[in-house]
């Protein structure tokens, strides 16, 4: 017998239904706790009852196969659906092993030739289901005997409990138990029980056991019963306990075994917030509508849209109406299968968990009230401020004002009403500024992978790999950890060998900030190039899509790219220009470790994994000699987008960086391919990015119109190549020398460098890696450059001319500016009373300070105060001054910094009292005073050195005298010879 079949596509699902007479399908989700609990039971049933071409068991992941789930009306997990000849005959919702076993037994009878009407007479109402409830019950002798025995047992038990004063069975309880034919939910001794036959029998048996066990009666519990209760409480609530959960005897044993509990149990301790979605869905507000859009496969998808409130129609629902809708949603959930019903093992646990769930709902309701009140107050204050400005004649921007040419005559709201359109187009950050990491495709899969190991071990491994607490050598460096951390990332994705715990540490500590930085850069590239850059490739006849290479981001770049690509694909689908649910294209990621690759495969679908960068620069043409090649050369792989994160900083030598750049440029598509280089935000990271930019401008790209070319003598003949068209997309608006990188190489004492910031929402596992679980707001700083190959910049004006036009401003200009010719803010704006100072990098290649006073323009002043670091500025300024850039001094500039900051040593020798003494003029001052013994040692040393110096001086004088005597003797000898 074979096990269940995991359905991977719609075609496989249809094939399974057509080939088998009976199909039992398990619709599950990876995050669903009850799904995991009942999965082994479903596996056993599949192995026992599977028959080739007759009975098949299938598992369908609702997250991956949403179309199949929608077609079969799956709204809760787990849901078991039995198909006979392709038609649904029974549906079971919830983790109910007995009901599932009974249904499978009936389904097997169908495969043997039975009829569905005879086998499944009355499906009944399953746990959490919505099937029809039978009007009358079919009684049997066995059922009657069971009911009679229960009534007799309840009678004697009530008499016994009346004497002991323990359990009091109310008349309505007995009536509820006896009235088995009723419908809905009944309250028994063990909680709530559904009316389905199997669930009723299980509930009655639980009630009977609860009433007859001695452990249910205080004073009659045995030591084994007390120990069982205590151990179950420890398993369920860990180091906490609900208030009043244990009796005096039980609590005494709990303290003796485990010590006192740390605190009272909170809903988070038992996973209630994580599984609160099992309690049902919240009712939508009255300003939302629903449409069903037909898909290509014949199914439908649900589309939610907001209904605008026109004049004369009903206004937005009030706070009380919204809260009443939420309360109604909570009440409607009571009839469905809940998380508590699935995990509670006894009535005591069920009651305690129910109280915790009520506390959680009350806290949620209070939070919802506060959020609604705060949002309403903020909206009213904003509207009141705007109306006040309208009355005073200070409307910031009106789309119907004829003084604002180039703007469509339409009434907008929100930011479009308060800001100039060019200000909105030039923004670097989105709205909102903070990026939320995608839950389904990113956060949830990583969290599931990390659940296999305790996070404390992952945190220790992450700190060992990324430089200690705070992870300073990860893509995001904390504010207090920047000093001395000038290297690359501690654990790159192309590292060949990783242990299991290191691979988990990479997922937890590297991917979240890497995703935020790549997303920020991709959004900027998309704004500057426009949607046509993506949509044109998606609409091509060959429908090949876009190919992307993630070289350094470890898969985070691919997740970020999918968010942008899917948005463009949805726009094209709405226009009817493309068909299909998924955009075409190729995705490739560089991962050196097998352990990391296996983890990334679980959530990076349809992705090619490479252990290193392919090297096509030194390879020959693929033709003729190969079996799979024809006469024509085979086209080499090229990528429309290459995300090179943290590749250059780790290389210390310039020629290594040059080799990587040459390889990446070879892989880039010649017709509009985009290369993005990202490094960490510190002087060394900026210098690595600036070196790439400088090399591309000098050796790879043709000079732009009005820009000077590089002299031939500055080119390296080893890397000389034919220049081609291309331009810098962002962040630079000039194609000359970077004003912060005028001299190539490292620079000591650099204070000013180009980098940017992106805020993102930290997932829970990432905050635990940082050791601060309360702060969910993170920031990542990075330096980057984005270049497009094969296309020149649209505006070919010289940089000085573009700067002059930008300084004059485009607020009332007839000409629409090219956003890539506007100055960019390289620092946060300085806001003062009556004026704003902007530090910008101009298209001319200079760092200047532009001042925008209120007298210059009310709109420009308003937008300048609301601008952010990294924005492009189009509204001009009143004054500008050059700003000095603190770039430090190079290593080989010959100054004192290049020599390590040390002055040359000078020793002065003097004669004092008939003895020589040596004194060093530039000697370093001692930080600590010397002791008596040290002073004596120094004095003796000084005396010995003076004596040695004096002896050498005496020897030198004596040598001089001897030489003088010899010279005189030689002269005398010469005179005597002459006389002869």
């Amino acid at each position: 017998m074979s096990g269940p079949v995991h359905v991977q596509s719609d075609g496989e699902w249809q094939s399974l239904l057509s080939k088998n007479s009976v199909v039992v399908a398990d619709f599950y989700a990876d995050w669903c706790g009850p799904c995991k609990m009942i999965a082994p039971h479903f596996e056993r049933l599949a192995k026992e009852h599977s028959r080739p071409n007759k009975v098949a068991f299938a598992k369908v992941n609702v997250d991956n196969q949403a179309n199949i789930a929608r077609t079969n009306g799956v709204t809760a997990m787990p849901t078991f659906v039995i198909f006979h000849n392709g038609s649904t005959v029974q549906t079971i919702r919830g983790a109910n092993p007995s009901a599932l076993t009974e249904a499978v037994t009936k389904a097997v009878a169908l495969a043997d030739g039975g009829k569905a009407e005879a086998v499944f007479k009355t499906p009944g109402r399953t746990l959490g289901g919505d099937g029809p409830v039978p009007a009358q019950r079919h009684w049997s002798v066995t059922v009657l005997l069971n009911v009679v025995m229960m009534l007799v047992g309840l009678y004697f038990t009530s008499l016994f409990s009346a004497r002991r004063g323990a359990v009091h069975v109310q008349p309505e309880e007995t009536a509820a138990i006896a009235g088995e034919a009723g419908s809905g939910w009944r309250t028994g001794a063990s909680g709530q029980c559904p009316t389905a036959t199997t669930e009723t029998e299980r509930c009655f048996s639980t009630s009977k056991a609860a009433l007859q066990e001695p452990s249910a009666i205080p004073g009659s519990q045995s030591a084994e019963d007390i120990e069982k209760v205590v151990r179950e409480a420890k398993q369920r609530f860990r180091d906490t306990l609900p208030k009043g959960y244990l009796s005096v005897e039980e609590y005494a044993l709990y303290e003796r075994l485990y010590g006192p509990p740390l605190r009272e149990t909170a809903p988070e301790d038992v996973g209630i917030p994580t599984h609160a979605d099992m309690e049902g869905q919240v009712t939508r507000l009255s300003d939302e509508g629903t449409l069903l859009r037909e898909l290509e496969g014949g199914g439908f998808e649900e589309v939610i849209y907001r209904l605008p409130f026109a004049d004369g129609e009903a206004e937005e629902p009030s706070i009380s109406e919204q809260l009443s809708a939420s309360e109604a949603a909570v009440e409607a959930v009571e009839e469905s299968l809940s998380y508590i019903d699935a995990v509670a093992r006894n009535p005591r646990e069920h009651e305690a968990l129910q109280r915790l769930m009520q506390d959680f709902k009350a806290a949620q309701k209070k939070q919802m009230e506060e959020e609604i009140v705060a949002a309403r107050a903020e909206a009213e204050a904003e509207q009141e401020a705007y109306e006040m400005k309208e009355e005073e004649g200070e409307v910031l921007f009106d789309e119907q004002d004829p003084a604002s040419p180039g703007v469509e005559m339409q009434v907008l709201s929100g930011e479009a009403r308060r800001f100039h359109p060019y200000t909105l187009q030039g923004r670097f950050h989105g709205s909102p500024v903070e990026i939320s990491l995608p839950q389904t495709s990113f956060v949830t899969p990583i969290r599931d992978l990390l659940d296999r190991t305790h996070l404390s071990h992952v945190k220790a491994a992450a700190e060992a790999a990324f430089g200690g607490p705070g992870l300073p050598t990860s893509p995001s460096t904390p504010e207090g950890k920047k000093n001395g951390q000038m290297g690359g990332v501690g654990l790159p994705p192309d590292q060949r060998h990783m242990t299991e715990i290191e691979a988990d540490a990479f997922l937890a500590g590297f991917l979240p900030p890497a995703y935020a930085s790549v997303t920020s850069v991709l959004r900027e590239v998309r704004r500057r190039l426009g949607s046509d850059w993506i949509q044109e490739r998606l609409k091509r006849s060959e429908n090949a899509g876009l190919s992307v290479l993630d070289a350094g981001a470890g898969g985070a770049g691919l997740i970020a790219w999918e968010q942008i690509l899917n948005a463009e694909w949805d726009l094209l689908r709405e226009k009817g220009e493309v068909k299909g649910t998924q955009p075409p294209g190729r995705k490739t990621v560089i991962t050196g470790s097998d352990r990391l690759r296996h983890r990334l495969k679980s959530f990076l679908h349809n992705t090619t994994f490479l252990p290193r960068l392919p090297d096509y620069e030194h390879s020959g043409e693929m033709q003729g000699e190969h079996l799979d090649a024809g006469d024509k050369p085979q086209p080499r792989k090229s990528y429309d987008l290459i995300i090179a994160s943290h590749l250059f900083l780790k290389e210390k030598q310039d020629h290594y960086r040059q080799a990587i750049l040459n390889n990446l440029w070879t892989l880039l598509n010649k017709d509009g391919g985009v290369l993005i280089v990202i490094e960490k935000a510190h002087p060394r990271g900026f210098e690595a990015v600036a070196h790439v930019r400088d090399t591309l401008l000098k050796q790879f790209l043709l000079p732009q119109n009005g820009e000077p070319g590089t002299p031939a003598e500055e080119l390296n003949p080893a890397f000389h190549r034919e220049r081609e068209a291309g331009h810098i997309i962002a962040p630079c608006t000039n194609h000359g020398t970077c004003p912060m990188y005028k001299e190539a190489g490292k620079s000591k004492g650099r204070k000013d460098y180009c980098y940017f910031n992106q805020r993102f929402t930290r997932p829970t596992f990432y905050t635990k890696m940082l050791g601060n679980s309360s702060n969910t707001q993170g920031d990542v700083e990075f330096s980057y450059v984005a270049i497009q190959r094969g296309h020149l910049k649209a505006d070919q004006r010289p940089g000085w001319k573009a700067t002059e036009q930008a300084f004059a401003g485009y607020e009332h200009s007839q000409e629409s500016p090219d956003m890539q010719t506007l100055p960019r803010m390289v620092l946060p704006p300085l806001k003062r009373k009556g004026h704003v100072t902007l530090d910008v990098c101009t298209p001319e290649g200079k760092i200047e300070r532009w001042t925008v006073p209120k007298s210059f323009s009310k709109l420009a002043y308003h937008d300048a105060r609301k601008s952010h670091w990294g924005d492009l500025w189009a509204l001009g300024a009143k004054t500008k001054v050059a700003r000095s850039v603190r770039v430090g001094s190079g290593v080989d500039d010959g100054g004192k910094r290049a020599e390590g900051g040390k002055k040359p040593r000078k020793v002065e020798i003097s004669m004092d009292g008939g003895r020589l003494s040596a004194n060093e003029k530039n000697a370093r001052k001692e930080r600590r005073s010397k002791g008596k013994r040290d002073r004596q040692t120094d004095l003796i040393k000084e005396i010995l050195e003076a004596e040695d110096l004096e002896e050498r001086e005496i020897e030198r004088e004596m040598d001089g005298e001897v030489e003088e005597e010899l010279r005189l003797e030689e002269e005398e000898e010469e005179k005597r010879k002459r006389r002869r």
Side-chain angles (χ1 to χ4, degrees):
M1 297 294 180
S2 59
V5 178
H6 291 265
V7 178
Q8 303 295 334
S9 63
D10 292 352
E12 184 179 1
W13 171 252
Q14 296 297 333
S15 175
L16 191 67
L17 291 177
S18 61
K19 292 181 179 179
N20 296 274
S21 174
V22 175
V23 176
V24 183
D26 175 13
F27 292 89
Y28 72 99
D30 294 334
W31 45 264
C32 173
C35 299
K36 298 178 181 178
M37 291 164 37
I38 201 171
H41 183 70
F42 186 78
E43 297 275 351
R44 288 192 295 270
L45 292 175
K47 293 180 180 179
E48 182 179 354
H49 298 289
S50 294
R51 298 181 186 177
N53 300 326
K54 286 190 176 182
V55 181
F57 288 76
K59 291 183 70 69
V60 182
N61 191 322
V62 297
D63 293 331
N64 299 335
Q65 305 298 329
N67 187 28
I68 301 176
R70 281 195 300 267
T71 305
N72 292 280
V74 177
T75 58
M77 277 67 70
T79 296
F80 301 92
V81 183
I82 298 177
F83 298 88
H84 180 232
N85 295 330
S87 301
T88 304
V89 295
Q90 188 174 15
T91 301
I92 302 173
R93 293 183 176 89
N96 190 351
S98 58
L100 179 61
T101 304
E102 182 180 357
V104 170
T105 304
K106 294 179 179 179
V108 174
L110 285 179
D112 294 334
K115 294 184 178 180
E117 294 79 4
V119 176
F120 296 95
K121 293 181 179 179
T122 53
R125 178 167 181 160
T126 57
L127 183 58
D130 53 359
V133 180
Q136 59 182 358
R137 306 294 293 231
H138 297 276
W139 293 87
S140 63
V141 178
T142 304
V143 174
L144 289 174
L145 290 176
N146 288 336
V147 173
V148 172
M149 291 177 63
M150 287 179 189
L151 292 175
V152 174
L154 289 173
Y155 173 75
F156 285 107
T157 304
S158 61
L159 292 178
F160 180 77
S161 59
R163 296 175 182 177
R164 293 287 187 99
V167 179
H168 300 276
V169 181
Q170 303 297 336
E172 55 268 25
E173 276 187 311
T174 308
I177 297 174
E180 185 182 354
S183 60
W185 290 78
R186 296 186 305 276
T187 303
S190 65
Q192 294 177 334
C193 299
T195 58
T197 305
T198 55
E199 291 298 317
T200 305
E201 292 176 357
R202 185 177 65 175
C203 186
F204 281 161
S205 62
T206 305
S207 305
K208 184 178 179 180
L211 291 172
Q212 292 181 353
E213 281 181 353
S215 60
I217 305 172
S220 64
Q221 287 180 295
S222 63
E224 292 80 4
D225 296 333
I226 295 176
E227 183 177 358
K228 179 182 179 183
V229 172
V230 170
R231 294 192 183 278
E232 287 182 351
K234 179 65 175 178
Q235 293 173 3
R236 174 62 64 200
F237 304 108
R238 304 280 181 171
D239 296 329
T240 65
L241 269 182
K243 185 177 180 180
Y245 185 78
L246 298 179
S247 64
V248 178
E249 295 84 358
E250 293 167 347
Y251 185 78
L253 179 61
Y254 184 95
E255 278 194 326
R256 188 164 68 251
L257 292 178
Y258 310 110
L262 298 180
R263 53 179 170 79
E264 188 176 342
T265 305
E268 291 79 8
D269 299 326
V270 290
I272 287 179
T274 305
H275 301 87
D277 54 351
M278 292 182 59
E279 297 297 317
Q281 298 179 351
V282 179
T283 304
R284 299 192 186 100
L285 302 180
S286 58
D287 63 338
E288 290 184 353
T290 305
L291 289 176
L292 293 179
R293 178 190 298 167
E294 187 173 2
L295 302 176
E296 294 181 358
F300 294 88
E301 67 175 350
E302 186 177 354
V303 180
I304 302 172
Y305 64 93
R306 283 194 176 274
L307 298 172
F309 293 97
D311 296 338
E313 294 185 1
E315 297 182 352
E316 186 178 356
S318 62
I319 298 175
S320 59
E321 292 176 354
Q322 297 181 28
L323 294 179
S324 62
S326 301
E327 293 174 357
V330 172
E331 294 176 358
V333 168
E334 298 298 333
E335 294 184 359
S336 63
L337 175 65
S338 66
Y339 170 68
I340 296 173
D341 296 326
V343 301
R345 295 173 294 188
N346 52 64
R348 191 187 300 196
E349 278 190 7
H350 189 280
E351 182 180 358
L353 293 175
Q354 191 68 36
R355 287 198 301 266
L356 292 173
M357 178 63 77
Q358 293 173 357
D359 295 341
F360 176 72
K361 289 179 180 178
Q364 273 192 327
K365 180 180 177 182
K366 183 178 180 182
Q367 182 181 0
M368 184 184 299
E369 293 177 3
E370 295 175 352
E371 291 178 355
I372 294 174
V373 172
R376 183 65 57 83
E378 183 179 356
E380 291 177 354
E382 184 178 345
Q383 183 65 23
E384 182 179 353
Y386 182 77
E387 292 176 355
M388 185 179 299
K389 290 182 179 180
E390 276 187 336
E391 294 176 359
E392 296 175 359
E394 297 184 3
V395 178
L396 298 178
F397 184 76
D398 190 355
E399 289 77 11
Q400 296 181 350
D401 186 2
S404 301
V407 182
E408 296 182 1
M409 301 301 177
Q410 56 180 351
V411 178
L412 302 177
S413 60
E415 290 185 339
R417 173 180 288 180
R418 299 189 300 272
F419 291 87
H420 196 283
Y422 297 152
T423 302
L424 298 178
Q425 293 177 25
R427 281 185 173 177
F428 176 73
H429 298 93
S431 180
V433 175
E434 187 174 12
I435 289 178
S436 297
L437 277 62
Q439 294 291 323
T440 304
S441 60
F442 189 72
V443 176
T444 301
I446 295 178
R447 184 177 62 235
D448 293 341
L449 291 171
L450 296 177
D451 285 344
R452 301 176 300 181
T453 308
H454 199 282
L455 276 180
S456 61
H457 302 303
V458 182
K459 178 184 177 183
E463 292 178 349
F466 296 114
L471 313 183
T473 60
S474 67
S476 176
T477 303
E479 188 63 32
K481 302 286 186 178
K482 291 184 177 180
N483 295 333
Q485 303 292 344
M486 292 291 183
V489 294
L491 189 63
D494 57 353
Q495 181 171 313
R496 295 296 303 274
H497 300 288
M498 283 189 189
T499 61
E500 297 286 348
I501 196 67
E502 284 179 340
D504 289 338
F506 179 88
L507 298 179
F510 184 97
L511 290 184
Y515 171 84
S517 60
V518 174
T519 300
S520 181
V521 175
L522 286 177
R523 292 194 310 186
E524 180 67 12
V525 171
R526 181 193 183 191
R527 290 193 190 98
R528 302 307 150 229
L529 292 181
S531 297
D532 293 340
W533 172 65
I534 301 176
Q535 293 185 5
E536 286 179 358
R537 287 165 169 77
L538 293 177
K539 292 187 295 185
R540 287 177 179 175
S541 58
E542 60 270 17
N543 203 22
L546 287 90
S547 57
V548 186
L549 173 63
D550 184 347
L558 298 182
I559 300 294
W561 170 249
E562 282 184 351
Q563 304 299 314
I564 294 178
L565 189 64
N566 290 333
E568 297 291 353
W569 183 258
D570 292 339
L571 291 176
L572 293 176
R573 286 180 57 194
E574 292 178 0
K575 298 177 183 178
E577 299 180 4
V578 295
K579 296 181 180 180
T581 57
Q582 296 294 331
R586 292 187 294 112
K587 298 181 296 182
T588 307
V589 61
I590 305 298
T591 51
S593 170
D594 292 338
R595 293 183 174 90
L596 178 60
R597 183 171 69 254
H598 292 325
R599 284 163 171 78
L600 295 178
K601 279 184 177 179
S602 62
F603 59 92
L604 290 181
H605 307 293
N606 301 324
T607 303
T608 302
F609 292 84
L610 298 178
R612 58 178 177 80
L613 276 174
D615 186 5
Y616 294 140
E617 185 182 10
H618 304 93
S619 62
E621 295 289 345
M622 300 284 293
Q623 61 181 3
E625 299 178 359
H626 300 273
L627 293 176
D628 56 349
D631 298 333
K632 296 182 179 180
Q634 295 295 311
R636 296 178 174 181
K637 290 182 180 179
S638 63
Y639 298 93
D640 297 300
L641 175 65
I642 298 179
I643 304 170
S645 299
H646 312 290
L647 290 184
F648 294 90
L649 181 58
K650 63 181 181 180
E651 303 296 341
K652 303 302 181 183
Q653 302 297 328
D654 289 344
H655 62 276
Y656 288 158
R657 296 179 179 179
Q658 180 78 51
I660 294 176
L661 180 58
N662 291 344
N663 197 7
L664 292 175
W665 195 256
T666 306
L667 297 172
L668 194 62
N669 188 354
K670 296 181 180 180
D671 183 18
V674 175
L675 172 63
I676 297 175
V677 178
I678 303 176
E679 291 293 346
K680 296 191 62 174
H682 49 62
R684 299 291 89 82
F686 160 73
E687 288 164 356
V689 174
H691 174 76
V692 172
R693 177 188 182 275
D694 191 59
T695 304
L696 287 170
L697 292 177
K698 291 181 178 179
Q699 301 181 20
F700 291 76
L701 303 180
L702 292 170
Q704 301 293 318
N705 186 21
E707 301 289 349
T710 306
E713 58 270 13
E714 295 185 11
L715 294 178
N716 188 345
F719 299 112
H720 181 67
R721 62 177 64 238
E722 290 293 332
R723 294 195 179 190
E724 53 187 308
H727 73 282
I728 297 176
I729 304 170
C732 311
T733 58
N734 71 87
H735 282 69
T737 303
C738 176
M740 297 185 184
Y741 193 72
K742 294 183 178 179
E743 295 183 5
K746 297 180 181 178
S747 179
K748 289 188 176 181
R750 180 186 294 275
K751 300 296 182 181
D752 291 334
Y753 53 95
C754 182
Y755 68 102
F756 301 92
N757 171 279
Q758 179 59 58
R759 182 168 297 170
F760 67 99
T761 303
R762 295 173 176 171
T764 305
F765 60 83
Y766 183 64
T767 58
K768 292 182 179 180
M769 294 299 102
L770 300 179
N772 184 7
S773 58
S774 61
N775 186 11
T776 60
Q777 190 178 82
D779 289 280
V780 56
E781 295 177 345
F782 53 90
S783 297
Y784 81 98
V785 64
I787 308 99
Q788 186 176 29
R789 183 181 184 183
H791 292 177
L792 290 174
K793 190 165 61 173
D795 193 328
Q796 288 292 312
R797 287 180 300 175
W800 62 269
K801 190 172 183 180
T803 303
E804 287 183 355
Q805 184 62 39
F807 181 72
Y810 291 91
E811 181 178 352
H812 304 291
S813 175
Q814 299 288 341
E815 180 185 2
S816 179
D818 182 358
M819 304 306 292
Q820 296 188 44
T821 61
L822 297 178
R824 187 181 295 274
M825 301 180 197
V826 293
L827 288 172
L830 300 175
K831 304 173 185 178
R832 298 293 183 264
K833 185 176 182 180
H835 71 276
V836 181
T837 302
L838 308 177
D839 293 296
V840 297
C841 180
T842 66
E844 193 177 358
K846 297 180 180 179
I847 304 296
E848 296 178 347
R849 276 195 166 178
W850 291 13
T851 303
V852 183
K854 192 173 183 179
S855 59
F856 175 72
S857 169
K858 290 182 180 179
L859 178 58
Y861 174 71
H862 168 268
D863 288 5
R865 292 189 68 85
K866 299 297 183 180
S867 60
H868 293 87
W869 176 15
D871 292 350
L872 297 173
W873 182 246
L875 302 187
K878 187 173 184 179
T879 61
K880 65 176 180 178
V881 295
R883 185 186 184 279
S884 58
V885 183
R886 299 169 296 174
V887 296
S889 57
V891 177
D892 299 325
D893 61 353
K896 295 178 181 178
R897 288 182 180 270
E899 297 176 359
K902 297 181 180 179
K903 298 180 179 179
R905 299 182 63 184
K906 295 181 180 180
V907 179
E908 185 182 85
I909 300 174
S910 61
M911 183 71 70
D912 184 14
R915 66 181 218 189
L916 293 173
S917 63
N919 183 21
E920 184 178 350
K921 286 188 175 182
N922 297 330
R924 183 181 300 174
K925 295 181 180 180
E926 297 294 335
R927 295 184 179 180
R928 294 179 297 176
S929 59
K930 295 183 178 181
K932 183 177 180 181
R933 184 180 297 276
D934 294 334
R935 291 197 298 270
Q936 291 176 352
T937 303
D938 293 343
L939 181 59
I940 295 172
K941 184 177 181 181
E942 183 180 349
I943 292 172
L944 293 176
E945 290 178 352
E947 290 179 354
D948 292 340
L949 184 61
E950 187 176 1
E951 289 179 359
R952 289 196 297 271
E953 188 69 21
I954 293 174
E955 291 177 356
R956 185 178 62 79
E957 293 177 356
M958 291 178 64
D959 292 339
E961 292 176 358
V962 172
E963 291 178 357
E964 184 65 21
E965 292 177 357
L966 292 176
R967 186 181 63 80
L968 293 176
E969 289 179 358
E970 289 178 355
E971 290 179 354
E972 290 293 332
E973 185 68 26
E974 288 290 335
K975 290 180 181 181
R976 284 195 295 269
K977 289 181 179 179
R978 290 173 186 170
R979 291 174 184 172
R980 293 177 185 176

